[in-house]
PDB file of all heavy atoms in Angstrom:
ATOM      1  N   THR A   1     103.920 129.181 115.109  1.00  0.00           N
ATOM      2  CA  THR A   1     102.688 128.363 114.937  1.00  0.00           C
ATOM      3  C   THR A   1     102.653 127.798 113.494  1.00  0.00           C
ATOM      4  O   THR A   1     103.333 128.251 112.594  1.00  0.00           O
ATOM      5  CB  THR A   1     101.518 129.224 115.163  1.00  0.00           C
ATOM      6  OG1 THR A   1     101.604 130.405 114.186  1.00  0.00           O
ATOM      7  CG2 THR A   1     101.477 129.919 116.517  1.00  0.00           C
ATOM      8  N   LEU A   2     101.937 126.703 113.430  1.00  0.00           N
ATOM      9  CA  LEU A   2     101.928 125.896 112.234  1.00  0.00           C
ATOM     10  C   LEU A   2     100.694 126.058 111.353  1.00  0.00           C
ATOM     11  O   LEU A   2     100.520 125.304 110.473  1.00  0.00           O
ATOM     12  CB  LEU A   2     102.135 124.342 112.725  1.00  0.00           C
ATOM     13  CG  LEU A   2     103.336 124.078 113.384  1.00  0.00           C
ATOM     14  CD1 LEU A   2     103.377 122.666 113.919  1.00  0.00           C
ATOM     15  CD2 LEU A   2     104.557 124.294 112.522  1.00  0.00           C
ATOM     16  N   SER A   3      99.945 127.091 111.572  1.00  0.00           N
ATOM     17  CA  SER A   3      98.673 127.162 110.835  1.00  0.00           C
ATOM     18  C   SER A   3      98.855 127.349 109.373  1.00  0.00           C
ATOM     19  O   SER A   3      97.890 127.000 108.575  1.00  0.00           O
ATOM     20  CB  SER A   3      97.959 128.424 111.396  1.00  0.00           C
ATOM     21  OG  SER A   3      98.603 129.501 111.320  1.00  0.00           O
ATOM     22  N   SER A   4      99.983 127.737 108.952  1.00  0.00           N
ATOM     23  CA  SER A   4     100.224 127.983 107.518  1.00  0.00           C
ATOM     24  C   SER A   4     101.246 126.940 106.980  1.00  0.00           C
ATOM     25  O   SER A   4     101.912 127.184 105.977  1.00  0.00           O
ATOM     26  CB  SER A   4     100.767 129.387 107.190  1.00  0.00           C
ATOM     27  OG  SER A   4     101.976 129.579 107.946  1.00  0.00           O
ATOM     28  N   PHE A   5     101.252 125.787 107.635  1.00  0.00           N
ATOM     29  CA  PHE A   5     102.243 124.782 107.279  1.00  0.00           C
ATOM     30  C   PHE A   5     101.520 123.392 106.958  1.00  0.00           C
ATOM     31  O   PHE A   5     100.379 123.228 107.272  1.00  0.00           O
ATOM     32  CB  PHE A   5     103.202 124.452 108.368  1.00  0.00           C
ATOM     33  CG  PHE A   5     104.336 125.455 108.494  1.00  0.00           C
ATOM     34  CD1 PHE A   5     104.177 126.776 109.001  1.00  0.00           C
ATOM     35  CD2 PHE A   5     105.615 125.126 108.193  1.00  0.00           C
ATOM     36  CE1 PHE A   5     105.091 127.685 109.105  1.00  0.00           C
ATOM     37  CE2 PHE A   5     106.675 125.959 108.296  1.00  0.00           C
ATOM     38  CZ  PHE A   5     106.431 127.318 108.745  1.00  0.00           C
ATOM     39  N   VAL A   6     102.199 122.592 106.168  1.00  0.00           N
ATOM     40  CA  VAL A   6     101.822 121.186 106.068  1.00  0.00           C
ATOM     41  C   VAL A   6     102.988 120.421 106.698  1.00  0.00           C
ATOM     42  O   VAL A   6     104.173 120.865 106.719  1.00  0.00           O
ATOM     43  CB  VAL A   6     101.613 120.751 104.633  1.00  0.00           C
ATOM     44  CG1 VAL A   6     100.473 121.579 103.961  1.00  0.00           C
ATOM     45  CG2 VAL A   6     102.897 120.931 103.833  1.00  0.00           C
ATOM     46  N   MET A   7     102.694 119.234 107.238  1.00  0.00           N
ATOM     47  CA  MET A   7     103.703 118.419 107.835  1.00  0.00           C
ATOM     48  C   MET A   7     103.575 116.982 107.398  1.00  0.00           C
ATOM     49  O   MET A   7     102.453 116.638 106.950  1.00  0.00           O
ATOM     50  CB  MET A   7     103.516 118.527 109.464  1.00  0.00           C
ATOM     51  CG  MET A   7     103.810 119.826 109.980  1.00  0.00           C
ATOM     52  SD  MET A   7     103.851 119.898 111.717  1.00  0.00           S
ATOM     53  CE  MET A   7     105.331 118.981 112.091  1.00  0.00           C
ATOM     54  N   ALA A   8     104.596 116.245 107.501  1.00  0.00           N
ATOM     55  CA  ALA A   8     104.609 114.867 107.031  1.00  0.00           C
ATOM     56  C   ALA A   8     105.564 114.051 107.825  1.00  0.00           C
ATOM     57  O   ALA A   8     106.457 114.414 108.484  1.00  0.00           O
ATOM     58  CB  ALA A   8     105.045 114.891 105.516  1.00  0.00           C
ATOM     59  N   TRP A   9     105.412 112.694 107.681  1.00  0.00           N
ATOM     60  CA  TRP A   9     106.297 111.683 108.151  1.00  0.00           C
ATOM     61  C   TRP A   9     106.900 111.080 106.899  1.00  0.00           C
ATOM     62  O   TRP A   9     106.252 110.685 105.921  1.00  0.00           O
ATOM     63  CB  TRP A   9     105.524 110.710 108.976  1.00  0.00           C
ATOM     64  CG  TRP A   9     105.127 111.196 110.225  1.00  0.00           C
ATOM     65  CD1 TRP A   9     103.806 111.663 110.605  1.00  0.00           C
ATOM     66  CD2 TRP A   9     105.882 111.326 111.579  1.00  0.00           C
ATOM     67  NE1 TRP A   9     103.805 112.032 111.969  1.00  0.00           N
ATOM     68  CE2 TRP A   9     105.084 111.810 112.492  1.00  0.00           C
ATOM     69  CE3 TRP A   9     107.104 110.968 111.799  1.00  0.00           C
ATOM     70  CZ2 TRP A   9     105.492 111.954 113.779  1.00  0.00           C
ATOM     71  CZ3 TRP A   9     107.580 111.128 113.109  1.00  0.00           C
ATOM     72  CH2 TRP A   9     106.789 111.714 114.120  1.00  0.00           C
ATOM     73  N   PHE A  10     108.233 110.910 106.940  1.00  0.00           N
ATOM     74  CA  PHE A  10     108.902 110.092 106.058  1.00  0.00           C
ATOM     75  C   PHE A  10     109.775 109.076 106.793  1.00  0.00           C
ATOM     76  O   PHE A  10     109.838 109.089 107.948  1.00  0.00           O
ATOM     77  CB  PHE A  10     109.894 110.924 105.211  1.00  0.00           C
ATOM     78  CG  PHE A  10     109.262 112.022 104.308  1.00  0.00           C
ATOM     79  CD1 PHE A  10     108.723 113.144 104.757  1.00  0.00           C
ATOM     80  CD2 PHE A  10     109.225 111.696 102.944  1.00  0.00           C
ATOM     81  CE1 PHE A  10     108.170 114.137 103.866  1.00  0.00           C
ATOM     82  CE2 PHE A  10     108.649 112.561 101.956  1.00  0.00           C
ATOM     83  CZ  PHE A  10     108.221 113.774 102.520  1.00  0.00           C
ATOM     84  N   ARG A  11     110.239 107.973 106.029  1.00  0.00           N
ATOM     85  CA  ARG A  11     110.994 107.016 106.654  1.00  0.00           C
ATOM     86  C   ARG A  11     112.089 106.585 105.637  1.00  0.00           C
ATOM     87  O   ARG A  11     111.979 106.786 104.445  1.00  0.00           O
ATOM     88  CB  ARG A  11     110.172 105.782 106.952  1.00  0.00           C
ATOM     89  CG  ARG A  11     109.565 105.021 105.957  1.00  0.00           C
ATOM     90  CD  ARG A  11     108.608 103.918 106.407  1.00  0.00           C
ATOM     91  NE  ARG A  11     108.012 103.159 105.384  1.00  0.00           N
ATOM     92  CZ  ARG A  11     107.072 102.330 105.624  1.00  0.00           C
ATOM     93  NH1 ARG A  11     106.539 102.021 106.802  1.00  0.00           N
ATOM     94  NH2 ARG A  11     106.473 101.581 104.493  1.00  0.00           N
ATOM     95  N   GLN A  12     113.211 106.159 106.235  1.00  0.00           N
ATOM     96  CA  GLN A  12     114.354 105.830 105.445  1.00  0.00           C
ATOM     97  C   GLN A  12     115.012 104.586 105.980  1.00  0.00           C
ATOM     98  O   GLN A  12     115.319 104.441 107.148  1.00  0.00           O
ATOM     99  CB  GLN A  12     115.240 107.032 105.333  1.00  0.00           C
ATOM    100  CG  GLN A  12     116.314 106.816 104.304  1.00  0.00           C
ATOM    101  CD  GLN A  12     117.141 108.071 104.077  1.00  0.00           C
ATOM    102  OE1 GLN A  12     117.173 108.938 104.904  1.00  0.00           O
ATOM    103  NE2 GLN A  12     117.729 108.255 102.873  1.00  0.00           N
ATOM    104  N   VAL A  13     115.388 103.668 105.076  1.00  0.00           N
ATOM    105  CA  VAL A  13     116.291 102.574 105.474  1.00  0.00           C
ATOM    106  C   VAL A  13     117.653 102.754 104.713  1.00  0.00           C
ATOM    107  O   VAL A  13     117.648 103.447 103.693  1.00  0.00           O
ATOM    108  CB  VAL A  13     115.669 101.168 105.137  1.00  0.00           C
ATOM    109  CG1 VAL A  13     114.362 101.016 105.837  1.00  0.00           C
ATOM    110  CG2 VAL A  13     115.367 101.084 103.612  1.00  0.00           C
ATOM    111  N   PRO A  14     118.645 102.188 105.304  1.00  0.00           N
ATOM    112  CA  PRO A  14     120.037 102.368 104.716  1.00  0.00           C
ATOM    113  C   PRO A  14     120.076 102.014 103.268  1.00  0.00           C
ATOM    114  O   PRO A  14     119.607 100.949 102.863  1.00  0.00           O
ATOM    115  CB  PRO A  14     120.956 101.555 105.535  1.00  0.00           C
ATOM    116  CG  PRO A  14     120.236 101.521 106.814  1.00  0.00           C
ATOM    117  CD  PRO A  14     118.771 101.496 106.577  1.00  0.00           C
ATOM    118  N   GLY A  15     120.579 102.801 102.365  1.00  0.00           N
ATOM    119  CA  GLY A  15     120.755 102.549 100.995  1.00  0.00           C
ATOM    120  C   GLY A  15     119.528 102.845 100.187  1.00  0.00           C
ATOM    121  O   GLY A  15     119.600 102.584  98.896  1.00  0.00           O
ATOM    122  N   LYS A  16     118.466 103.312 100.804  1.00  0.00           N
ATOM    123  CA  LYS A  16     117.217 103.622  99.995  1.00  0.00           C
ATOM    124  C   LYS A  16     116.873 105.090 100.095  1.00  0.00           C
ATOM    125  O   LYS A  16     117.343 105.768 101.133  1.00  0.00           O
ATOM    126  CB  LYS A  16     116.177 102.709 100.456  1.00  0.00           C
ATOM    127  CG  LYS A  16     116.319 101.276 100.015  1.00  0.00           C
ATOM    128  CD  LYS A  16     114.942 100.577 100.238  1.00  0.00           C
ATOM    129  CE  LYS A  16     115.091  99.163  99.807  1.00  0.00           C
ATOM    130  NZ  LYS A  16     113.834  98.374 100.005  1.00  0.00           N
ATOM    131  N   GLU A  17     116.160 105.653  99.285  1.00  0.00           N
ATOM    132  CA  GLU A  17     115.734 106.993  99.349  1.00  0.00           C
ATOM    133  C   GLU A  17     114.667 107.083 100.431  1.00  0.00           C
ATOM    134  O   GLU A  17     113.871 106.202 100.853  1.00  0.00           O
ATOM    135  CB  GLU A  17     115.039 107.463  98.008  1.00  0.00           C
ATOM    136  CG  GLU A  17     116.088 107.582  96.856  1.00  0.00           C
ATOM    137  CD  GLU A  17     115.493 108.262  95.639  1.00  0.00           C
ATOM    138  OE1 GLU A  17     114.229 108.480  95.606  1.00  0.00           O
ATOM    139  OE2 GLU A  17     116.135 108.355  94.642  1.00  0.00           O
ATOM    140  N   ARG A  18     114.539 108.370 100.922  1.00  0.00           N
ATOM    141  CA  ARG A  18     113.472 108.704 101.927  1.00  0.00           C
ATOM    142  C   ARG A  18     112.149 108.531 101.365  1.00  0.00           C
ATOM    143  O   ARG A  18     111.827 108.957 100.246  1.00  0.00           O
ATOM    144  CB  ARG A  18     113.699 110.052 102.408  1.00  0.00           C
ATOM    145  CG  ARG A  18     113.104 110.405 103.838  1.00  0.00           C
ATOM    146  CD  ARG A  18     113.704 111.570 104.384  1.00  0.00           C
ATOM    147  NE  ARG A  18     115.048 111.427 104.926  1.00  0.00           N
ATOM    148  CZ  ARG A  18     115.826 112.276 105.581  1.00  0.00           C
ATOM    149  NH1 ARG A  18     115.298 113.474 105.973  1.00  0.00           N
ATOM    150  NH2 ARG A  18     116.994 111.885 105.898  1.00  0.00           N
ATOM    151  N   GLU A  19     111.254 107.777 102.088  1.00  0.00           N
ATOM    152  CA  GLU A  19     109.968 107.401 101.642  1.00  0.00           C
ATOM    153  C   GLU A  19     108.836 108.127 102.249  1.00  0.00           C
ATOM    154  O   GLU A  19     108.814 108.230 103.560  1.00  0.00           O
ATOM    155  CB  GLU A  19     109.827 105.857 101.788  1.00  0.00           C
ATOM    156  CG  GLU A  19     108.488 105.364 101.440  1.00  0.00           C
ATOM    157  CD  GLU A  19     108.209 103.947 101.720  1.00  0.00           C
ATOM    158  OE1 GLU A  19     109.046 103.478 102.765  1.00  0.00           O
ATOM    159  OE2 GLU A  19     107.318 103.193 101.283  1.00  0.00           O
ATOM    160  N   PHE A  20     107.915 108.649 101.477  1.00  0.00           N
ATOM    161  CA  PHE A  20     106.728 109.268 102.119  1.00  0.00           C
ATOM    162  C   PHE A  20     105.912 108.264 102.776  1.00  0.00           C
ATOM    163  O   PHE A  20     105.520 107.258 102.362  1.00  0.00           O
ATOM    164  CB  PHE A  20     105.870 109.980 101.013  1.00  0.00           C
ATOM    165  CG  PHE A  20     104.582 110.422 101.403  1.00  0.00           C
ATOM    166  CD1 PHE A  20     104.493 111.684 102.214  1.00  0.00           C
ATOM    167  CD2 PHE A  20     103.421 109.664 101.181  1.00  0.00           C
ATOM    168  CE1 PHE A  20     103.205 112.081 102.598  1.00  0.00           C
ATOM    169  CE2 PHE A  20     102.145 110.188 101.559  1.00  0.00           C
ATOM    170  CZ  PHE A  20     102.150 111.442 102.290  1.00  0.00           C
ATOM    171  N   VAL A  21     105.426 108.712 104.012  1.00  0.00           N
ATOM    172  CA  VAL A  21     104.518 107.812 104.943  1.00  0.00           C
ATOM    173  C   VAL A  21     103.198 108.465 104.970  1.00  0.00           C
ATOM    174  O   VAL A  21     102.097 107.719 104.658  1.00  0.00           O
ATOM    175  CB  VAL A  21     105.132 107.657 106.313  1.00  0.00           C
ATOM    176  CG1 VAL A  21     104.209 106.962 107.224  1.00  0.00           C
ATOM    177  CG2 VAL A  21     106.526 106.962 106.157  1.00  0.00           C
ATOM    178  N   ALA A  22     103.005 109.686 105.366  1.00  0.00           N
ATOM    179  CA  ALA A  22     101.747 110.325 105.517  1.00  0.00           C
ATOM    180  C   ALA A  22     102.036 111.857 105.686  1.00  0.00           C
ATOM    181  O   ALA A  22     103.119 112.292 106.025  1.00  0.00           O
ATOM    182  CB  ALA A  22     101.025 109.782 106.829  1.00  0.00           C
ATOM    183  N   ALA A  23     100.932 112.528 105.457  1.00  0.00           N
ATOM    184  CA  ALA A  23     100.993 114.021 105.574  1.00  0.00           C
ATOM    185  C   ALA A  23      99.717 114.598 106.108  1.00  0.00           C
ATOM    186  O   ALA A  23      98.678 114.020 105.960  1.00  0.00           O
ATOM    187  CB  ALA A  23     101.295 114.686 104.144  1.00  0.00           C
ATOM    188  N   ILE A  24      99.763 115.781 106.637  1.00  0.00           N
ATOM    189  CA  ILE A  24      98.619 116.519 107.154  1.00  0.00           C
ATOM    190  C   ILE A  24      98.724 117.950 106.920  1.00  0.00           C
ATOM    191  O   ILE A  24      99.868 118.496 107.034  1.00  0.00           O
ATOM    192  CB  ILE A  24      98.541 116.142 108.660  1.00  0.00           C
ATOM    193  CG1 ILE A  24      97.128 116.637 109.205  1.00  0.00           C
ATOM    194  CG2 ILE A  24      99.659 116.698 109.503  1.00  0.00           C
ATOM    195  CD1 ILE A  24      96.785 116.115 110.684  1.00  0.00           C
ATOM    196  N   ARG A  25      97.590 118.542 106.512  1.00  0.00           N
ATOM    197  CA  ARG A  25      97.574 119.978 106.362  1.00  0.00           C
ATOM    198  C   ARG A  25      97.211 120.549 107.654  1.00  0.00           C
ATOM    199  O   ARG A  25      96.120 120.275 108.210  1.00  0.00           O
ATOM    200  CB  ARG A  25      96.695 120.333 105.284  1.00  0.00           C
ATOM    201  CG  ARG A  25      96.346 121.809 105.075  1.00  0.00           C
ATOM    202  CD  ARG A  25      95.654 122.104 103.721  1.00  0.00           C
ATOM    203  NE  ARG A  25      96.754 122.358 102.656  1.00  0.00           N
ATOM    204  CZ  ARG A  25      96.764 121.854 101.414  1.00  0.00           C
ATOM    205  NH1 ARG A  25      95.707 121.083 100.998  1.00  0.00           N
ATOM    206  NH2 ARG A  25      97.643 122.256 100.558  1.00  0.00           N
ATOM    207  N   TRP A  26      97.990 121.403 108.332  1.00  0.00           N
ATOM    208  CA  TRP A  26      97.717 121.813 109.671  1.00  0.00           C
ATOM    209  C   TRP A  26      96.439 122.594 109.762  1.00  0.00           C
ATOM    210  O   TRP A  26      95.675 122.326 110.682  1.00  0.00           O
ATOM    211  CB  TRP A  26      98.867 122.709 110.174  1.00  0.00           C
ATOM    212  CG  TRP A  26      98.872 122.753 111.660  1.00  0.00           C
ATOM    213  CD1 TRP A  26      98.379 123.654 112.535  1.00  0.00           C
ATOM    214  CD2 TRP A  26      99.546 121.767 112.482  1.00  0.00           C
ATOM    215  NE1 TRP A  26      98.613 123.331 113.773  1.00  0.00           N
ATOM    216  CE2 TRP A  26      99.283 122.179 113.832  1.00  0.00           C
ATOM    217  CE3 TRP A  26     100.309 120.647 112.299  1.00  0.00           C
ATOM    218  CZ2 TRP A  26      99.843 121.464 114.943  1.00  0.00           C
ATOM    219  CZ3 TRP A  26     100.758 119.948 113.319  1.00  0.00           C
ATOM    220  CH2 TRP A  26     100.587 120.363 114.646  1.00  0.00           C
ATOM    221  N   SER A  27      96.128 123.486 108.863  1.00  0.00           N
ATOM    222  CA  SER A  27      94.897 124.106 108.845  1.00  0.00           C
ATOM    223  C   SER A  27      93.804 123.299 108.256  1.00  0.00           C
ATOM    224  O   SER A  27      93.829 122.937 106.996  1.00  0.00           O
ATOM    225  CB  SER A  27      95.088 125.349 107.995  1.00  0.00           C
ATOM    226  OG  SER A  27      93.773 126.074 107.939  1.00  0.00           O
ATOM    227  N   GLY A  28      92.893 122.810 108.989  1.00  0.00           N
ATOM    228  CA  GLY A  28      91.823 121.994 108.436  1.00  0.00           C
ATOM    229  C   GLY A  28      91.994 120.483 108.788  1.00  0.00           C
ATOM    230  O   GLY A  28      91.119 119.640 108.863  1.00  0.00           O
ATOM    231  N   GLY A  29      93.311 120.025 108.903  1.00  0.00           N
ATOM    232  CA  GLY A  29      93.609 118.691 109.335  1.00  0.00           C
ATOM    233  C   GLY A  29      93.469 117.599 108.176  1.00  0.00           C
ATOM    234  O   GLY A  29      93.443 116.395 108.570  1.00  0.00           O
ATOM    235  N   SER A  30      93.294 117.913 106.871  1.00  0.00           N
ATOM    236  CA  SER A  30      93.191 116.870 106.004  1.00  0.00           C
ATOM    237  C   SER A  30      94.475 116.075 105.845  1.00  0.00           C
ATOM    238  O   SER A  30      95.507 116.485 106.036  1.00  0.00           O
ATOM    239  CB  SER A  30      92.941 117.541 104.625  1.00  0.00           C
ATOM    240  OG  SER A  30      93.932 118.504 104.305  1.00  0.00           O
ATOM    241  N   THR A  31      94.245 114.719 105.700  1.00  0.00           N
ATOM    242  CA  THR A  31      95.309 113.815 105.667  1.00  0.00           C
ATOM    243  C   THR A  31      95.566 113.047 104.398  1.00  0.00           C
ATOM    244  O   THR A  31      94.546 112.862 103.664  1.00  0.00           O
ATOM    245  CB  THR A  31      95.136 112.748 106.881  1.00  0.00           C
ATOM    246  OG1 THR A  31      93.914 112.143 106.766  1.00  0.00           O
ATOM    247  CG2 THR A  31      95.130 113.549 108.175  1.00  0.00           C
ATOM    248  N   TYR A  32      96.786 112.493 104.221  1.00  0.00           N
ATOM    249  CA  TYR A  32      97.124 111.759 103.085  1.00  0.00           C
ATOM    250  C   TYR A  32      98.034 110.632 103.477  1.00  0.00           C
ATOM    251  O   TYR A  32      98.957 110.840 104.356  1.00  0.00           O
ATOM    252  CB  TYR A  32      97.821 112.691 102.019  1.00  0.00           C
ATOM    253  CG  TYR A  32      96.928 113.777 101.738  1.00  0.00           C
ATOM    254  CD1 TYR A  32      97.100 115.066 102.482  1.00  0.00           C
ATOM    255  CD2 TYR A  32      95.898 113.832 100.728  1.00  0.00           C
ATOM    256  CE1 TYR A  32      96.356 116.122 102.213  1.00  0.00           C
ATOM    257  CE2 TYR A  32      95.074 114.852 100.547  1.00  0.00           C
ATOM    258  CZ  TYR A  32      95.279 116.110 101.282  1.00  0.00           C
ATOM    259  OH  TYR A  32      94.480 117.145 101.055  1.00  0.00           O
ATOM    260  N   TYR A  33      98.017 109.447 102.765  1.00  0.00           N
ATOM    261  CA  TYR A  33      98.827 108.323 103.143  1.00  0.00           C
ATOM    262  C   TYR A  33      99.397 107.670 101.873  1.00  0.00           C
ATOM    263  O   TYR A  33      98.792 107.633 100.874  1.00  0.00           O
ATOM    264  CB  TYR A  33      97.925 107.340 103.894  1.00  0.00           C
ATOM    265  CG  TYR A  33      97.443 107.886 105.247  1.00  0.00           C
ATOM    266  CD1 TYR A  33      96.182 108.416 105.253  1.00  0.00           C
ATOM    267  CD2 TYR A  33      98.109 107.597 106.356  1.00  0.00           C
ATOM    268  CE1 TYR A  33      95.550 108.873 106.426  1.00  0.00           C
ATOM    269  CE2 TYR A  33      97.574 108.173 107.543  1.00  0.00           C
ATOM    270  CZ  TYR A  33      96.360 108.841 107.646  1.00  0.00           C
ATOM    271  OH  TYR A  33      95.906 109.231 108.858  1.00  0.00           O
ATOM    272  N   ALA A  34     100.612 107.086 102.254  1.00  0.00           N
ATOM    273  CA  ALA A  34     101.086 106.256 101.212  1.00  0.00           C
ATOM    274  C   ALA A  34     100.293 104.949 101.114  1.00  0.00           C
ATOM    275  O   ALA A  34      99.729 104.559 102.091  1.00  0.00           O
ATOM    276  CB  ALA A  34     102.587 105.894 101.555  1.00  0.00           C
ATOM    277  N   ASP A  35     100.258 104.343 100.056  1.00  0.00           N
ATOM    278  CA  ASP A  35      99.497 103.063  99.824  1.00  0.00           C
ATOM    279  C   ASP A  35     100.002 102.041 100.840  1.00  0.00           C
ATOM    280  O   ASP A  35      99.121 101.258 101.402  1.00  0.00           O
ATOM    281  CB  ASP A  35      99.622 102.557  98.439  1.00  0.00           C
ATOM    282  CG  ASP A  35      98.877 103.304  97.469  1.00  0.00           C
ATOM    283  OD1 ASP A  35      97.939 104.117  97.863  1.00  0.00           O
ATOM    284  OD2 ASP A  35      99.182 103.188  96.272  1.00  0.00           O
TER     285      ASP A  35
END
């Protein structure tokens, strides 16, 4: 179960570093986004 986890989406294009897209705290559901 994920109640004690945070999860996120990242994305990557060839030749570049993995980029943060969005995240969510599983407990409570608070969310965060890249600009």
Side-chain angles (χ1 to χ4, degrees):
T1 58
L2 298 173
S3 57
S4 60
F5 281 72
V6 296
M7 296 187 70
W9 290 96
F10 289 82
R11 63 189 182 187
Q12 190 169 25
V13 297
K16 292 190 175 182
E17 292 188 357
R18 201 160 286 190
E19 175 191 21
F20 170 77
V21 173
I24 187 166
R25 176 164 266 140
W26 202 266
S27 177
S30 54
T31 59
Y32 308 90
Y33 297 91
D35 288 342

